[in-house]
Amino acid sequence: MRLVVAILQAKDAEGVLRALSERGFQTTQINSAGGFLRESNVTLLVGVQEGYVADVTRIVRQTCQARTRLVNPLMPLVEPAEFFVPNPVEVQVGGATVFVIGVERYERVA
Ligand code: 2BA
């Protein structure tokens, strides 16, 4: 068994959840935030047999869009009398960041 961990932009989460659910995949949604942009994103946990990993990652690939964001860089250490004029930089975010992890044990306690 494998655990697919997919970090998505919040805007894409609804579409991915719907597509996974329509194909019978069970998911857990965790509301998370990126450490760099500090924006809300969504982390999905999808436990599947190894043969279904490609189906899950295909759905994520088809549903998630890359978007560009303008970010103000952090102020560097500057000498007194110097001043720093921040220029926003463009970063590309997503589609999605996907990790596939081997599951040692899976148990549902009834
Ligand atoms: P954030 O950490 O908020 O990163 C958002 C986007 O900012 C990243 O998009 C990347 O394009 C850029 N970025 C991140 N760190 C940077 C840095 N030190 N310098 C310059 N640009 C940087 P993605 O790569 O598509 O990542 C989207 C989100 O996926 C991330 O949000 C984070 O929540 C998660 N993520 C990405 N890689 C990860 C990893 N190796 N481990 C855990 N989470 C990860």
Side-chain angles (χ1 to χ4, degrees):
M1 190 172 200
R2 297 284 185 270
L3 183 66
V4 181
V5 179
I7 303 164
L8 323 171
Q9 294 171 75
K11 286 176 184 164
D12 293 322
E14 188 54 44
V16 176
L17 282 165
R18 194 179 320 113
L20 288 171
S21 159
E22 278 168 5
R23 287 162 182 81
F25 293 112
Q26 291 198 36
T27 56
T28 293
Q29 172 183 340
I30 301 171
N31 295 328
S32 46
F36 186 67
L37 296 181
R38 311 289 167 93
E39 283 184 352
S40 296
N41 55 27
V42 170
T43 300
L44 294 186
L45 306 180
V46 192
V48 288
Q49 294 304 326
E50 191 172 356
Y52 290 105
V53 168
D55 291 337
V56 172
T57 53
R58 181 173 37 77
I59 289 167
V60 169
R61 209 175 298 118
Q62 286 172 347
T63 318
C64 293
Q65 296 173 29
R67 297 180 179 89
T68 51
R69 299 273 293 98
L70 281 177
V71 182
N72 282 314
L74 293 173
M75 189 161 81
L77 291 174
V78 291
E79 295 295 323
E82 285 185 68
F83 58 90
F84 172 66
V85 182
N87 284 319
V89 287
E90 201 172 74
V91 291
Q92 188 172 68
V93 187
T97 302
V98 178
F99 302 88
V100 180
I101 302 166
V103 175
E104 202 168 294
R105 177 170 163 178
Y106 169 70
E107 193 176 329
R108 298 185 71 184
V109 179

